[in-house]
Amino acid sequence: MKTILVTGACGQIGSELVTKLRSLYGEDHVVATDIRVAVDNPAQGDGPYETLDVTDGKQFLEIAKKYQVDAVIHLAALLSAKAEANPQRAWHLNMTGLVNGLETARELQCQFFTPSSIAAFGPSTPQDQTPQDTIQRPNTIYGVTKVSGELLCDYYYQRFNVDTRGVRFPGLISYVTPPGGGTTDYAVEIYYHAVQHKKYTSYIAAGTKMDMMYMPDALDAIVQLMEADPTKLVHRNAFNISAMSFAPEDVAAAIRARIPEFLLTFDVDPIRQRIAESWPNSIDSRCAVDEWGFRPRYDLESMTKDMLDKLLARHRMP
Ligand code: AKB
């Protein structure tokens, strides 16, 4: 049975991924790590948990060695809006953390997964059905770290034979752990506000389409790609994957099918709007489908039903 180390384990993806991996590979075989010491997070129960600042390469390697890990899933990173507010910090955390993760994987010869993002594209990228291999000139610091990360992962595979794998995640939607500091966060907030206040003010303008995915599909994609037959992988890192593409008013319409009085208004944040406009409207996931069988289960309607079921049940609880 392999042992997997997850960084950023208390974040939006990590807190659910750790639970899923523990159910698949056993509680003791998933080492959750995060810079946070004590927060009430699912990743901190039922298995090993270590405090790790990923910018500390020595500590990264020591923890990986202590548990003799076979795979590293590196999630710790600053998201787009937070990164734009502090570009130097974003470069340091996203790049130094990544290099430390790759070096750990090289030293221990373990598998390595890290997510890229739709942010790896920019204004000169074809906006609709964006191909897997295309122009990548992002104009955000987050995007710059993502393109650099994609290249670095390819390099570690070619140069050091590290089994690197990765996807370009779209906005991820979940009812478990909220995201923090992303541009696509509105697509999570809108559901919480619909349930609590029956109204939401969007910082993203009407008509701005972005790719999105429900968290269960994102988690399945990580596991599926990590387990995929390497001989079938032409791309390895940075696979385009998306389950749906929508604008704020599309989610509002889906929510209204269940909460008819739901009201959507707009107060556009110029910084996050500029970021959103630099990203594709929709990306083409065909390479992921062909090379490792990516197949998302949720579309906007089924995701909205599940999100509202879960959040309404929680809201009604005393
Ligand atoms: C963000 O909005 O920054 C992230 C992403 C698309 O990478 N959710």
Side-chain angles (χ1 to χ4, degrees), residues 79-81 117-119 142 169-172 181-185 279:
L79 294 184
S80 56
S117 159
I118 50 171
Y142 178 64
F169 272 136
L172 298 180
T183 301
T184 58
D185 294 10
W279 293 353

Side-chain angles (χ1 to χ4, degrees), residues 207-228:
T208 312
K209 282 191 182 289
M210 286 184 276
D211 285 285
M212 303 281 175
M213 188 183 292
Y214 199 30
M215 189 60 84
D217 284 331
L219 303 182
D220 283 348
I222 295 175
V223 172
Q224 218 181 331
L225 178 55
M226 293 291 277
E227 297 283 352

